[in-house]
Amino acid sequence: MVSLTGIGTRFGPTVIHEGLDLEVARGEMVSLVGGSGSGKTTLLRHIIGLTRPYAGQVELFGEPLFSGSATVQRDRRRRFGVLFQQGALCSALNVAENIAFPLRELRVASPAEVDTLVAQKMAMVELEPHHAVLMPAELSGGMVKRVALARALVLEPELLLLDEPTAGLDPDRSASFVALIRELHKRLSLTVMLVTHDVDTLAALSTKIAVLAERRIVSYASLEETVTFDHPFVERFFGGEQGRRALARHHGEHR
Amino acid sequence: MMDPQGADGAPGIVVSEHKVSLHGDWTLRSIAPCVSGLRRSLAAVPAGAAWSLTEIGRFDSFAATLLWRAWGGKWAASLEASESQKNALDAISRHAVQRLPKPACWTLIDFVVGLGATVLVLLSHIADMIRLVGQLFLDLVHVLRHPMDAPLKEISAGVYKMGVKAMPVAALVGFLIGVVLSYLSALQLKAFGADIFIVNILGLGIIRELGPVLVSILVAGRSGSAMTAQLGVMRVTEEIDALSAMGISRTLRLVLPKVVALTLAMPLLVLWTSGMALLGGMVSAWIQLDLSFAFFVDTLPKAVPIANLYIGFFKGALFGLLIALIACHFGLRVKPNTESLSANTTASVVTAITMVILADAVLAIATRSIGVPL
Ligand SMILES: Nc1ncnc2c1ncn2[C@@H]1O[C@H](COP(=O)(O)OP(=O)(O)OP(=O)(O)O)[C@@H](O)[C@H]1O
Ligand SMILES: [Mg+2]
């Protein structure tokens, strides 16, 4: 689904990635973890095609990201949905228009169908109907996240790229977000790649965990294996007070 | 773990007797190429048929919407579907009837409200402007009493950005205008044999009127818009709020340096541009009328009293002040969205140019007896 080989990134003299490899199979839910500033967002931007690594190859759905004609590339872009770390809503459009935007661009659904789908997506992320006419500047931080998530989901893409989807959400909403992604995953055999610092979300969702440290993916394995992986970052991430408690909760649920 | 069954199959319908069975992938992407055909086939299914969705691979909420509409907004009498498909349909069924609230429509009352709002906005502009000027005055007093707080670096950066960097373009425009003006006047003057009056016309016209106004229009477009956009983006990204939270006065740090810098830079820019325009005029007069440079330079002080230069300087400073004030005023009014940013930037430039020309007209009347040789 997503295949990164030998990715190298540098901003000026600072090297962010070097010889980074990652292979995400269809149907996986991959959590990308790593310290702040380790280049997780940058990696997602490579996958989306917003930036190009100076070395290495990005492949999406089995084809190089920038191959084919303009239409082929556009159609490829419509197969994934992105949630940006800051939301990145269009500030000139209201909530409903923001969510409907990718759908309208496709020119497949009739206006009434667009309305229905938007209403359903808004309910999915627990937004009230009367929020539809609010402008992005009038939303709280967490609401921006949820609108952006609804927009990422509106085309029900095969691949979801989420940059810290639960940051800024209350624990209750985080939990319902996890349930939502799981449901979508089951119905659409969705592939998800998310960046998160929240061990609860990570433990509940991921089938695989990719650890980004030392400029490359040092470990790509299931939760159980990752926890036992011997690396200072992993130790701090899962071994800390919060991490241990979250893992304990997770194991409790599964017994 | 779900098996990756999503081998792409086109969506299809098989209708037999009273049984309809759907197969393939029913997702937005797979439906898109053949949506009108599917809509037609769905509509053609007889009412009361038994629906079977069990053959479907992937099923998204757009497909659910299509089906729900085909069923006329209620559940099919007989339906075979998996649990998650039913969930998707159920979610759609809950939202299909309810309409999203729309932004209100435009009525006659809105017209009256709009008219009133326009007047109120105008008043608020005036009030904001007075507040801004007052605040700047207080800041100026503060700076005079605490010279350590003076934003000298910002001011010098402003003079460089808005003055020095504008010199090439101002020179080019000034020179060309000078050439054109001189050329056109020379044609007329030649007809009357009044060649030497070209010095009076160019000297008075450029130094007193054209120089300051030309530079103002240039600077309003160049620096005024930049100022508004900069303050506006700082508002959009909450930088201005962050500054306030840190206890830093936004007028002292952001507005005052710009206003002072432009008020200082403009007279110099006017001098530079007027000089360039006169040079252009001189070149043109030399080619057209055969007036030597030495004669031109010699006659200029006699034809144009020095008061005109002072008036030009004064206009430069005043127009600079106006442009900077208006630009900052609109910049601070930007609401945190892109639409407002573009509207305010446009308004800033248009208002600045209009106000400059208005002020120029008022000044022309006020100074009509000063520096005009009779
Ligand atoms: N456009 C850029 N120019 C220069 N440096 C950049 C740029 N974008 C990112 N960086 C640098 O790249 C590094 C990785 O940034 P990135 O945003 O990918 O971090 P991250 O892993 O997403 O961190 P966080 O968890 O805090 O979001 C940082 O050190 C950052 O300073
Ligand atoms: Mg990031």
Side-chain angles (χ1 to χ4, degrees):
Chain A
M1 207 65 177
V2 180
S3 136
L4 306 169
T5 32
I7 298 292
T9 315
R10 56 157 65 118
F11 292 109
T14 34
V15 180
I16 311 290
H17 306 127
E18 206 170 19
L20 181 150
D21 298 312
L22 182 64
E23 191 84 32
V24 178
R26 183 183 279 275
E28 296 278 15
M29 290 210 262
V30 179
S31 293
L32 185 60
V33 298
S36 185
S38 57
K40 305 179 295 291
T41 301
T42 310
L43 198 61
L44 282 193
R45 289 172 68 88
H46 287 334
I47 298 174
I48 302 161
L50 295 175
T51 51
R52 293 178 92 152
Y54 82 90
Q57 168 101 316
V58 181
E59 281 185 24
L60 267 191
F61 313 111
E63 298 152 24
L65 186 54
F66 287 99
S67 66
S69 66
T71 6
V72 172
Q73 289 196 23
R74 195 197 59 199
D75 287 343
R76 191 175 301 133
R77 273 160 203 276
R78 287 187 175 152
R79 291 170 68 176
F80 59 80
V82 185
L83 171 67
F84 287 93
Q85 195 165 2
Q86 321 287 354
L89 301 177
C90 301
S91 61
L93 303 179
N94 70 26
V95 167
E97 288 164 342
N98 255 297
I99 300 174
F101 191 71
L103 206 53
R104 292 227 172 93
E105 279 298 282
L106 221 53
R107 295 175 218 287
V108 172
S110 70
E113 285 164 355
V114 170
D115 263 12
T116 308
L117 287 169
V118 169
Q120 184 240 340
K121 291 297 176 300
M122 283 180 61
M124 217 151 90
V125 295
E126 300 187 19
L127 288 165
E128 305 290 325
H130 66 261
H131 291 149
V133 288
L134 292 183
M135 301 304 285
E138 299 163 350
L139 301 177
S140 76
M143 283 161 81
V144 169
K145 262 276 154 59
R146 282 182 280 151
V147 175
L149 181 64
R151 186 178 65 176
L153 288 174
V154 77
L155 293 185
E156 306 208 346
E158 295 156 67
L159 174 63
L160 257 186
L161 302 166
L162 311 170
D163 200 348
E164 308 204 1
T166 52
L169 298 187
D170 53 54
D172 208 22
R173 296 249 161 67
S174 295
S176 55
F177 164 79
V178 167
L180 168 67
I181 295 292
R182 270 201 180 147
E183 155 76 22
L184 284 176
H185 180 246
K186 211 158 58 189
R187 186 153 50 85
L188 298 166
S189 54
L190 200 66
T191 312
V192 184
M193 207 171 151
L194 67 148
V195 172
T196 185
H197 296 299
D198 177 20
V199 187
D200 274 315
T201 312
L202 177 142
L205 271 186
S206 20
T207 58
K208 285 258 180 93
I209 295 170
V211 181
L212 180 58
E214 298 155 18
R215 300 171 188 168
R216 55 198 179 81
I217 303 291
V218 291
S219 147
Y220 182 53
S222 68
L223 178 65
E224 283 70 30
E225 289 167 70
T226 306
V227 174
T228 55
F229 183 68
D230 188 26
H231 190 278
F233 173 77
V234 173
E235 228 152 77
R236 263 175 285 132
F237 196 84
F238 295 104
E241 180 75 7
Q242 239 180 329
R244 273 208 312 273
R245 238 185 285 145
L247 286 181
R249 264 201 297 278
H250 177 63
H251 288 307
E253 274 165 27
H254 280 248
R255 222 156 270 157
Chain B
M1 189 62 253
M2 180 83 184
D3 72 337
Q5 73 190 116
D8 282 3
I13 303 182
V14 178
V15 187
S16 58
E17 292 288 317
H18 284 292
K19 190 160 162 55
V20 189
S21 77
L22 311 185
H23 59 85
D25 270 345
W26 282 67
T27 60
L28 187 53
R29 203 169 65 83
S30 55
I31 291 173
C34 48
V35 65
S36 45
L38 283 181
R39 274 186 212 275
R40 246 177 284 122
S41 330
L42 283 175
V45 171
W51 292 74
S52 158
L53 311 185
T54 46
E55 304 284 292
I56 288 181
R58 296 169 14 200
F59 185 74
D60 74 359
S61 42
F62 177 65
T65 317
L66 271 188
L67 280 189
W68 190 254
R69 298 209 156 250
W71 296 343
K74 52 184 190 292
W75 288 94
S78 148
L79 173 67
E80 249 184 282
S82 73
E83 201 53 42
S84 66
Q85 287 169 345
K86 281 192 180 144
N87 283 347
L89 283 162
D90 187 48
I92 291 300
S93 72
R94 266 178 283 126
H95 299 287
V97 275
Q98 143 214 6
R99 306 289 315 208
L100 284 176
K102 290 269 179 288
C105 272
W106 204 81
T107 62
L108 193 67
I109 295 176
D110 287 321
F111 175 74
V112 179
V113 171
L115 207 65
T118 311
V119 174
L120 289 181
V121 163
L122 208 68
L123 288 180
S124 87
H125 271 291
I126 294 171
D128 272 5
M129 198 66 179
I130 292 173
R131 206 171 298 138
L132 184 67
V133 172
Q135 185 61 48
L136 279 179
F137 185 73
L138 291 181
D139 283 339
L140 213 57
V141 171
H142 172 87
V143 166
L144 289 181
R145 287 175 55 192
H146 307 88
M148 293 299 292
D149 283 356
L152 290 180
K153 265 205 187 114
E154 284 96 332
I155 293 178
S156 103
V159 169
Y160 176 71
K161 253 196 318 203
M162 298 185 279
V164 178
K165 282 193 149 180
M167 279 169 73
V169 67
L172 181 70
V173 171
F175 186 84
L176 291 180
I177 292 279
V179 167
V180 171
L181 203 64
S182 171
Y183 171 76
L184 287 177
S185 318
L187 284 182
Q188 305 297 316
L189 290 175
K190 226 176 180 171
F192 296 111
D195 295 12
I196 57 163
F197 283 104
I198 188 95
V199 183
N200 299 45
I201 292 180
L202 287 185
L204 214 60
I206 289 175
I207 295 177
R208 195 181 165 110
E209 282 298 327
L210 212 55
V213 172
L214 200 64
V215 174
S216 298
I217 291 174
L218 216 64
V219 166
R222 196 182 167 277
S223 310
S225 60
M227 272 187 233
T228 309
Q230 192 195 3
L231 288 177
V233 170
M234 291 179 83
R235 160 120 291 166
V236 173
T237 56
E238 298 185 329
E239 275 174 71
I240 291 188
D241 298 343
L243 282 184
S244 305
M246 288 185 263
I248 294 168
S249 157
R250 61 188 189 189
T251 45
L252 184 64
R253 264 317 158 76
L254 298 176
V255 179
L256 188 70
K258 291 185 170 61
V259 172
V260 171
L262 200 57
T263 312
L264 289 179
M266 271 284 280
L268 302 176
L269 212 50
V270 167
L271 186 69
W272 164 256
T273 311
S274 295
M276 280 295 162
L278 283 178
L279 188 70
M282 254 154 72
V283 170
S284 186
W286 172 54
I287 295 171
Q288 278 254 290
L289 302 172
D290 222 9
L291 287 185
S292 75
F293 284 10
F295 174 79
F296 200 105
V297 174
D298 234 25
T299 329
L300 194 59
K302 287 175 218 146
V304 184
I306 190 73
N308 287 294
L309 193 64
Y310 300 148
I311 290 179
F313 265 138
F314 174 72
K315 278 186 178 176
L318 180 73
F319 295 169
L321 182 71
L322 270 180
I323 293 170
L325 275 178
I326 289 170
C328 292
H329 165 76
F330 279 103
L332 292 174
R333 281 180 74 94
V334 170
K335 303 223 168 46
N337 68 68
T338 46
E339 203 68 33
S340 159
L341 181 65
S342 72
N344 274 289
T345 310
T346 310
S348 154
V349 175
V350 172
T351 314
I353 291 177
T354 314
M355 289 308 284
V356 161
I357 290 176
L358 209 73
D360 189 59
V362 171
L363 274 182
I365 297 169
T367 62
R368 65 189 180 280
S369 56
I370 306 172
V372 187
L374 295 172

